[in-house]
Amino acid sequence: MDDLAANLKRVLMQISNSARKAGSSPDEIELVAISKTHDAEKVHAVYEAGQVLFGESRVQEARAKIPELPSAIRWHFVGHLQKNKIRQALPLFELIHSVDSFALAKEINRIADEDGMHPRVLLEVNVAGEGSKFGFKPETVRAEMESLLALPRLSIEGLMIIPPLAEEAEASRTFFVQLRELRDALEKEFDLKLPRLSMGMTNDFTVAIEEGATLVRVGTAIFGERQRPKRK
Ligand SMILES: *Cc1c(COP(=O)(O)O)cnc(C)c1O
């Protein structure tokens, strides 16, 4: 398990180097260690090495894993949230990065109201306009912002992006810049604060930090390659 601690240390070092390069403080950037597909034992080893914040992308997997691990661990949800999993997800996760439609936001608000919760969320934006991806289009998020802000249970704290897969980290930069600019425009137009930008994964998190990320979601660089899910 030594390599996990070494991996974590290297990622934290890269974060602080990129932050310095961007003129921001490393303390302003949170590392979310994405533990999907990795078992509780591996998560525990990374926790022992000092990491407290982890992210999962499937409610079912998280529900099985979280009770096996120390309660001091904080969990974020980063995957596509199915409406029938909202009630299970709300008590498990302190932040949902991936609210990807108004219909989902409305349903989270309804269930949070029933269950007496006040979920913190980010809006996932599909800046590149890829048809196959979940997320608000930049135009729709603008048009729906009033309605989103009228959902009393939701605390909307920022934006999230998953850019198109690319070999080169630099290919993501234009999307990170667009997300930050959209954030700035929304803050101005709606007179609000959206301080959190969730952007950057193993391949491109250093570029994301240079462009203003406050949350980076890193899996492979910490845990190693994921097994491909078995076909049924
Ligand atoms: C899996 C996943 C990550 C982590 O990806 P890596 O390339 O392994 O760092 C980040 N964000 C989301 C939404 C994911 O599903």
Side-chain angles (χ1 to χ4, degrees):
M1 293 286 180
D2 256 349
D3 54 337
L4 291 176
N7 290 349
L8 176 65
K9 199 171 159 192
R10 179 166 21 80
V11 169
L12 289 170
M13 192 73 81
Q14 288 171 313
I15 289 174
S16 86
N17 286 340
S18 302
R20 206 166 317 116
K21 206 166 145 190
S24 49
S25 154
D27 311 337
E28 292 163 35
I29 297 149
E30 283 191 281
L31 170 62
V32 189
I34 305 296
S35 50
K36 66 186 186 205
T37 77
H38 300 292
D39 61 22
E41 198 186 342
K42 279 181 97 174
V43 177
H44 199 268
V46 175
Y47 169 73
E48 287 289 318
Q51 177 67 20
V52 180
L53 177 58
F54 290 84
E56 286 283 333
S57 63
R58 283 164 170 273
V59 174
Q60 222 155 334
E61 182 183 339
R63 276 185 88 205
K65 201 181 293 183
I66 291 173
E68 295 181 39
L69 285 155
S71 58
I73 294 185
R74 295 156 48 208
W75 295 94
H76 286 187
F77 189 77
V78 301
H80 173 61
L81 183 56
Q82 289 170 291
K83 291 204 182 99
N84 63 3
K85 298 280 166 39
I86 295 170
R87 199 178 300 277
Q88 297 172 350
L90 289 183
L92 297 176
F93 299 102
E94 64 167 43
L95 182 71
I96 299 169
H97 288 226
S98 42
V99 172
D100 53 18
S101 70
F102 180 69
L104 177 63
K106 204 172 149 196
E107 190 62 6
I108 294 173
N109 183 73
R110 186 181 72 77
I111 289 172
D113 190 51
E114 283 180 8
D115 292 0
M117 315 280 290
H118 292 89
R120 300 167 165 217
V121 305
L122 309 178
L123 304 176
E124 179 176 350
V125 184
N126 181 354
V127 172
E130 288 178 290
S132 61
K133 278 235 181 97
F134 294 108
F136 290 90
K137 294 195 189 75
E139 315 82 71
T140 42
V141 82
R142 263 206 168 80
E144 290 181 317
M145 202 65 199
E146 281 309 342
S147 321
L148 285 162
L149 291 171
L151 299 171
R153 289 278 165 174
L154 296 198
S155 169
I156 300 172
E157 300 191 339
L159 305 179
M160 179 268 214
I161 185 179
I162 307 174
L165 264 181
E167 297 274 307
E168 293 287 321
E170 278 302 324
S172 302
R173 188 182 297 274
T174 175
F175 301 112
F176 296 152
V177 170
Q178 286 177 59
L179 191 73
R180 187 189 66 223
E181 290 178 350
L182 175 64
R183 186 273 305 274
D184 294 347
L186 290 170
E187 284 191 332
K188 221 167 152 194
E189 189 173 338
F190 296 93
D191 189 25
L192 48 78
K193 287 272 168 246
L194 296 169
R196 306 178 96 175
L197 286 181
S198 170
M199 52 191 203
M201 312 182 6
T202 289
N203 284 336
D204 53 17
F205 72 89
T206 56
V207 174
I209 290 167
E210 288 168 25
E211 298 303 341
T214 69
L215 291 154
V216 291
R217 312 179 307 267
V218 179
T220 308
I222 297 169
F223 288 97
E225 292 293 334
R226 287 180 289 274
Q227 300 291 119
R228 281 168 189 276
K230 289 197 186 73
R231 284 176 191 275
K232 293 212 178 85

